[in-house]
Structures are given as structure tokens and as C-alpha cells.
Amino acid sequence: MTESPGIQNGIRLETVIPNGAASLESILRTEELLGRRSRLPDHEKENSALAALVGALADSPRTILQTLSDKVLDVLEADSAGLSLLTKDNKRFYWAAIAGAWQPHAGGGTPRDFGPCGDVLDRNVPMLFTHWERRYPYLGAALPLAEEGLLVPFLVKGRSVGTIWAIAHNGQRKFDREDLRLLESMGRFASAAYQTVESIEDLKVEIAAREKAESELRELAGSLEAQVTARTEDLEQRNRQLADARALLAEEKLQLERSEAFLARAQGLSRTGSWHLSLRTGTIAWSRELATILGFESESESASDPLFLQRIHPEDRFRVDQIRSAAITERKDYDVEYRLCLPGVIKHVHAVGNYSASDSGDPEYIGAVMDITERKRAEEDLRRSEAFLAQAQRLSRTGSFSWRVATDEIACSAELHRIFALDTPAPVTLEAIRARIHPEDMHLIDAMILHARADARDFEYEPTLQMPDGSIKYLHLIAHGVRDHDGRLEYIGSVQDVTQRRLSEDALAKARTDLAHVSRVSSLGVLTASIAHEVNQPLSGIVTNASTCLRMLGADPPNVEGARETARRTIRDGNRASEVISRLRSLFANKGAATESVDLNEATREVIALSSSRLQRDRAILRTELADDLPPVSGDRVQLQQVILNLLQNALDAMSTVDDRPRQLVVRTERDEGDRVRLTVQDAGVGFGPQVGERLFEAFYTTKSDGMGIGLSVSRAIIERHRGRLWAAPNDGPGAAVAFSIPCVAGDGAGRNREGIISAPVLADAERVMRSL
Amino acid sequence: MALRSLVSIVDDDESVRESLPDLLTELGFAVEAFASAEAFLASDCIGRTSCLLLDIAMPGMKGPDLQRELTLRRQAIPIVYITACRGDAVRPQLLENGAVQCLFKPFSDTALREALDSALNVN
């Protein structure tokens, strides 16, 4: 007897039946049926059905039960019809034959003591049920559902052995007394037919057994000896086979044990438990790991659905049960995440159930439960740290980005979106970024992008943004270029909004400039005072002597000798005054430089590095053309750097009002003729007219509205002390070039210091002034 | 002829110490010249000096230091400062502290004469 795919779904008995299951009386409609108006009997149809059954009994008794089902379906105009028979152990009914919609359930069945068939047999009367799955939920899996089910006992030799039934799946069809009469009538016929079939079958079995026994007897008698020999051999072979089979079995058992151990280990490592559920028997099995996940001592608790449900977090329990029940009803797979509530701990799990039929065709579910608590926690941590990062970026006004150069894919943090005031949902493009750049910075940014595309490099810029509302933002951008495994270039960087800092820096720089100007002026004042003191002393003598001389000559008689003496002293004081002047000149013109070997390229690079902030602020594009083979020069490194700095600053000053062309600045070093080295600073600034020429280098001459006119004259003095030359020339285009040329070999020590002649305070003042300039 | 008033000069500049006494003699004064404030203080001229021509900036004791010292010694000698440093801020300060006049080098004989006159009249 088979009990394959069908309804017997005992497993659900403990789990699915709700506590408030419907009572038997509530699903019975028998009394109502007796009160329903009967339709007119169709004797013709009934007779033809019985005739068909008789024909079937004669022609093919083995299919009599199926034919009966077909005819019941036909005569009662039911949707499904069939015959349930008690199994020999009296524990279950099995559906021996089914016609109509339930045909696919043939072979299924119901428990003896918990189902409609059992109820009919208990009371031994016909019964009409409606929606029996309300009381017997396992019947909910037998689709389509039964709107009405009419059952009559099936009696064989006065003993109930099953039921005959007809089902209406549609509310339109209502069974009535005529249907009951027909069913009972066909039941009686079926009873007779069943007995006949049973007798015929019994007889056949008896005859076959007798024939077989006789033939065996004949064979035995005929070849007893041969049989004994054959049997012995057979037995020996079987013994060998048995031994082989045993060995094989042992080997298989070993392998099975091993793979089970592996599986248990793997489940433990992956925190994944598995389960198996047979829909036919309702038995459920858990892997050891599943028991562990559910918080049970692995062997002490036997697996069961209530135990499992009890572990599910109360808030999730209903949802999980619904999803699972729905899946089982429709024989579908399911996939659900929920929480487990174990003593003192909440776990997150991911559960899957997979419907399949076993080798023997039994419906079953195999599933897995993964403990994803760690993953959930990691996800939570990740969410939290992402929130922290966003907060930190917000507070520090720093956004981050990545830029894939080949595809121009740009990923930005939320703070960067905010800094650039970009629409968050729209993908960020290079164009969207460029649109925010201040027009004056555009060429800088384009140059930067061009450089960045060429090769992986690190760069740092201070671009200025012009926002849609017209406001200005100053940014500090740092990017790091990397290549991935495939050599694709990507930049990762950060952008800080330094507007506030920049504004205060600007204010500070202005204050510094003002201060420097004041200190330059005051230093110059000190120097002037010193010079005046030195010159006024002899002048004072001259004036006094001349006055005395006049008085002596005007006396009566004139004191000629005294007058001559005072005139001599006047001449001497005049010479002294002249000497003071020449001493001052020698201080500026002939002060010997502290000589050392200076790499002019390196000195230039240092000055450029010192000026980089100003270069960026002035939006100047600097090009350096430093000769590779430049020989060192002999001189005072600091003084030479002052000159270079002075030339650079003059160039920047000259370009400060230039807005109609790039503020191009070139610093070039090269060998000059006659073992000399030349440095040129070329700007694209306002330049100077031909009439200015040499006057540029006069002290206190300036073309600037706020300049002192000291820089170039001091620069020339320094260069001349290095036995070099400093000159300026207008460019062919806009702007000018200022260059100096100095010998690259050590000098002969000409122009030695004569500072000792001049009084110490003057020298100290002069040096201080020189430094401040 | 009445006893000529003594004018003392304190100046570290030699050309001043050479030229000024002759002019003062021509103007009718007796003259003593000193190269430093310390030398003047060490001399016996303090009590006899009618007017002091005093340089401001000198090595060692400065002009105003000498003025303070004389005040401490209760020697009320009229002082005319002579200086090669043209500082507009210095002059009012000196006058406020009791100097009769402050002459900037080089000065004319007329300016010197007027300063001495006013100093001696005060006396």
C-alpha cells in the first residue's frame, strides 16, 4: 500500500491546528441536506452507470474501484469523487481511487481517528461536511478546497471498511437527498463488487500458489541431488557476497560518518544549522548546529515545531509562521530573516526552506538556518561608523572623493556635495565641478586636470569657487594618485572648505604687510638720522669756524692770524664731512659678501617654495626652466635669495592688475658667456615704458603706488657686490624681464670690507635697514 | 671790563671743542671745554659756570644724565643743548625739563648768541 504525495500530512497536526480548531458539529451540514429540496431522480443515468459498473466488473475487475469513482462523479455531477479504504492495521484511510479534481491526490489518505472518514465510520451514518479543513487543517493542503463533501460508509460483509465520497469545490453545487440516495445505492453496489473482486483475487492467489507448489515439488523430486549441490554453491556464493556487502557497508558507514563529521564541522564553522521535515510523517530533524543555534543542549531536546516557534522572537513569530505556512500550503520555497529570543541573548538568523520530493516521492522540506548575528552587528557598526564619518566631515567641512580618470567616474561624500552645492541624487561629473570653479581659476584647474591625467601623482591646490548665489568659497584640495591592479589611474582625495581660515589669513597678511611697511620706513628713518648725525658734526664745526673767522676779520684791528687758523680748521672739517659721505658710499658699494659655493637652482627652488602660497593666491602660472648643468656660483646665498625673492615679488606685483591674460611667470637659469650664470624672471605684467629704463634701479624710484623704491636698487647693489650685473628689459609681448648675471667661479677677493672706518652705530643701522629691505 | 661770564662746553666731538671756544671768546665769554660729562663733574668749573653748552648723545654719561646730576647737586646752571640729531620729538621734552634752548648742529653764531643771552638773563 502506498501513501505517496497526497494529503497525509500528519506533521502539521501538532503545529498547524490552532487551539481554537472548529468543532465537528460546526462543519457538519447533514441535517441541512436532509431538509434541502431534492432534485428529480435521473433513473436513466443511474441505470447506465450501474450497467457500466457491471460491465467493468466482468471485463476488468481490477479497475472496478476507479470505475466506481468515475461513475459517482458522473451521476452526482460532483467535482471530485473517490473511495477511502481502511488500512489493514486499522490506523489510516488511504484513497484507493479518485476521479475528478482530486485525481492527483490518489494514493494519499487521512488518519483513522482524525478526519471525516473516521467520523463517518464512528457514527456509521452518511455525513455532509463543509470546509473540513477548519477542523482538519492538513486537508487545507488538498487543493482545490472542498466546499461540501458527502461521505457514506462503505460496508463489506456488514463491516465498515471505508467510505465513498463526493466533493463539490464550487459553492454553486449543493448536495441533496437525491445525491445521498444515489451515493448509498452505488455504495451498496460497490460493496458487492468489492467482495466479488476480493474473492476472485483470493481464488487466483490460491490457484497460483497450488500450481507453484506442485511444480516445485516436481523439480525437487527430479533433481534433489543437483539442487543440494547447487544450493550449497549458492549458499557459499551468498556468504561471500554477504561478506563483501558487509565490508562495503562498513566502508560506506565509515565514509558516511566522516562526511557527517565534516558536515557538522562545516555547520559549526559557518554557524549554519539544517533541518529536515517530512510532510507525510510530520517528523522533523535538526542538525546538531541548529540545536546549538536555537540554544538547546544538542541531544537533550528532541526536535519539534512548537519548540522551534517558542524560540522565535515574539514580535517575529506570527510573521515567520505565516510565511512558512503559506509556503508549505503552496509547496514553495521560502526565505526569511527573523530574530531568536534565547535566554539572555537575541540572535539574528536567516532561514531558507526548500521543498522537494524524497527518493521515494514523499513530500519534504529541507532547510537551513544561518546565524547572522555577527553580520548584523557588523552592518550596524558600519552604519554607525559611516554616520560618524559623515558627522566628522560636516564638522571639519571636509569632503572626500575618488576620481577614476579613464571613465571620469566621480564618487563624492555627502559633505563634498554640500561644499559644491550639488544636487545629491544626480551623479557628479567633472563638468558639474568645473561649473563651480571661479572663472579666474579655470585655467589652473584645467592645467591641474591635464597633469593629473598624465600620470599618478600627488597634488595640492587651493581652488576658489564661485557659488550660484555669487558668494566665494576657498578650498584646500589634496589628492593622491594610485593605479589599481589593471593599471587604471584613480585619485583619492579630500577637499576642505577653508573660506573662514582664508579670510582671517588675508586679514593677517594685510596687517603684516602694513607692519612691514611701517618698519621699513622707521628703519630708514633710523639710518637717515645716523647719517645726519655723522654729517652734521663736521658741518657744525665748519659753520662755527667760519663764523669765528668772520668775526676775527671784522675786529679792529682784524685778527688775521686767528682768522687764518679758523679758516684752516674750516677746510679740515669740510674734508671730514666729505670723508663721512664717502665712507657711507663704500658701505653700500663695497661691502664684501660672505662667500660660499651656491647652487643657484637650489636657491631658486627654495625661494619658489617660500613663495608658493603667494603664487597661488595671485593665480600666477609659474614655469621653471632651470638648466641642468648649472655650475655653482660663489657668493652670499641669503643675499642672492633676497634678490631672487625681490624679482619674483616685483613680477607678481606687476601682474596683480592683469585679468585679460594668464599671469604667466617664467623663472629661468642658464649659463651665460664668460663663465657666468644668468637668472631671468619674466612676467606678463604691466611692464615699463622705454623712458623708465635705468631709473628703475635708482633708490627711492618706484612705479608702484605703494612701493618704497628700495628693492631694485638694493638688489643691484647686492649683485654688483657679487661682481655681477642686474638689468631689466621689456618683453616682445606684454610684461618685462629682469635678469642678473654673476661669475660662477670664485673671485679674487676684490672689494674688501672697509667697514671699520665707519662708526659702529651707523654700520649696525645700515645693516639692519639692508636686511629689512 | 667786568669779569667775563664762564661758558662751559661738554661735547665728545673734537671739532666742536676746537671751534666753539674761539667763537665764544670772540663773543666775549670765558670758555672751558670738556670731552665728557664725567670730566666736567670732576672739574672745579661747576660753581663758576654761568651757562652750560651740552651735547646730548655722548659715550658714557649722556647730556640729560648730567642735567639730572646737577639738579641733584643743587647746581642751577642754565643749560643750552647742542645736538647733531635732528629730532623734533626731543626738543620740547628737553625744554620742558628746564633747558633754556636746544640748538641743532650746525647753528649760526646769531642763534648761539640769542640762546646765551636768554640763558644769562634768566640767571
Side-chain angles (χ1 to χ4, degrees), chain A residues 400-405 408-413 416 428 490-494:
Chain A
S400 51
F401 68 91
S402 71
W403 170 35
R404 286 186 180 279
V405 174
D408 273 346
E409 280 173 84
I410 297 178
C412 292
S413 73
L416 201 78
V428 178
E490 182 174 15
Y491 282 90
I492 293 163
S494 72

Side-chain angles (χ1 to χ4, degrees), chain A residues 532-533 536-541 543-545 547-548 551-552 559 566 569 572-573 576, chain B residues 12-13 15-16 18-20 22-23 26-27 55 57 84-86 105-109:
Chain A
H533 185 264
N536 283 338
Q537 293 285 24
L539 282 180
S540 179
V543 171
T544 307
N545 284 321
S547 303
T548 311
R551 282 180 182 278
M552 285 176 168
N559 179 358
T566 52
R569 286 209 298 263
R572 192 198 61 199
D573 284 351
R576 262 178 72 187
Chain B
D12 64 324
D13 188 70
S15 67
V16 172
E18 274 178 6
S19 59
L20 211 47
D22 284 355
L23 182 59
E26 285 298 311
L27 292 175
D55 191 12
C85 293
R86 223 169 251 283
K105 297 175 188 173
F107 44 81
S108 68
D109 53 351

Side-chain angles (χ1 to χ4, degrees), chain A residues 580-615:
Chain A
V580 168
I581 304 289
S582 65
R583 263 183 257 155
L584 280 170
R585 287 182 59 136
S586 70
L587 169 71
F588 285 104
N590 294 323
K591 183 178 185 292
T595 54
E596 57 182 317
S597 178
V598 180
D599 178 346
L600 205 59
N601 282 346
E602 200 184 306
T604 306
R605 280 192 207 98
E606 282 179 13
V607 171
I608 289 170
L610 281 171
S611 311
S612 62
S613 176
R614 165 131 197 232
L615 285 168

Side-chain angles (χ1 to χ4, degrees), chain A residues 174-195:
Chain A
K174 297 281 188 191
F175 294 117
D176 58 23
R177 294 178 67 159
E178 174 61 11
D179 295 312
L180 176 58
R181 189 189 64 76
L182 282 168
L183 199 57
E184 283 183 316
S185 145
M186 293 176 82
R188 276 192 296 277
F189 178 85
S191 174
Y194 184 80
Q195 284 178 50

